[in-house]
Amino acid sequence: MKLSEALVHEQRALWQSWLPHPFTQAVAEGTLPLETFLRWLAQDYRFVSEGRRFLAVLLAKAPPERLDALADALHAWDAELALFRDAATREGAALDAPPCFVTQAYGDFLLATAHQEPFAVGWAVLYGVERAYHDAWRWARERASVDTPYRAWLDNWGSDAFGAFVGSLADGVDALAEGA
């Protein structure tokens, strides 16, 4: 079994337990209150904004064969920020909310990992972040009602295209493991 598969397989019970989270269920059903979605949007905006620092540190530590993939990830995260800004503008919402504890802790973990751990560990963490995002949004997308107002978000992170990106990160985990 490849390392990327083993990392999820070894924790499959935990991994599966958070997929039917009330947030993802409500997004799929279209019952998530807009106010709750906008709070999430502001926190995810902050996470991605600060997460770019994580990517920048990884980029500085990357072996040459990983530079393009990290540059692509950085570009993708910048595109996500634009999606968040557009949505906030449409809804008249602010994105400058202070970080909640979990957002701050998650960002701190990413930065500490990037600075203190070898590149391969940082890459594996990036894979975990993106794999969790894809799995959660794909789970919700597969169960979504036709008229959910969150369809664009479900289609963004639950898509096959995003899944292919996550697959490329998995390939990187496996390649880095071979050289370790």
Side-chain angles (χ1 to χ4, degrees):
M1 179 181 294
K2 295 179 180 180
L3 178 60
S4 60
E5 295 166 1
L7 291 171
V8 176
H9 180 76
E10 290 172 7
Q11 299 298 322
R12 69 185 169 279
L14 177 63
W15 199 266
Q16 293 298 315
S17 73
W18 56 260
L19 289 175
H21 188 275
F23 179 87
T24 52
Q25 287 178 333
V27 165
E29 295 164 357
T31 59
L32 186 73
L34 181 60
E35 178 181 309
T36 303
F37 179 78
L38 293 176
R39 276 197 313 272
W40 167 83
L41 187 73
Q43 292 302 308
D44 208 36
Y45 180 81
R46 179 171 290 278
F47 171 77
V48 173
S49 294
E50 293 300 315
R52 293 180 307 167
R53 296 177 195 281
F54 164 71
L55 292 177
V57 174
L58 288 183
L59 194 57
K61 295 170 82 171
E65 65 273 11
R66 299 284 162 235
L67 290 173
D68 289 343
L70 284 170
D72 290 346
L74 190 56
H75 178 72
W77 284 21
D78 284 341
E80 284 183 27
L81 292 175
L83 287 174
F84 296 153
R85 284 190 295 269
D86 290 347
T89 299
R90 273 193 315 276
E91 299 299 335
L95 293 174
D96 60 354
C100 70
F101 174 80
V102 172
T103 303
Q104 185 68 51
Y106 200 10
D108 291 348
F109 165 74
L110 292 179
L111 271 179
T113 299
H115 282 288
Q116 298 171 4
E117 298 293 338
F119 173 80
V121 173
W123 184 277
V125 167
L126 175 61
Y127 165 65
V129 167
E130 298 292 29
R131 169 75 188 262
Y133 228 73
H134 180 253
D135 285 2
W137 287 93
R138 185 186 65 213
W139 182 94
R141 184 180 188 218
E142 289 170 353
R143 289 155 180 78
S145 66
V146 175
D147 60 345
T148 179
Y150 304 108
R151 173 59 60 194
W153 302 95
L154 293 164
D155 290 345
N156 185 56
W157 291 299
S159 69
D160 291 342
F162 190 66
F165 167 69
V166 172
S168 71
L169 295 175
D171 292 344
V173 167
D174 299 333
L176 288 164
E178 288 174 12

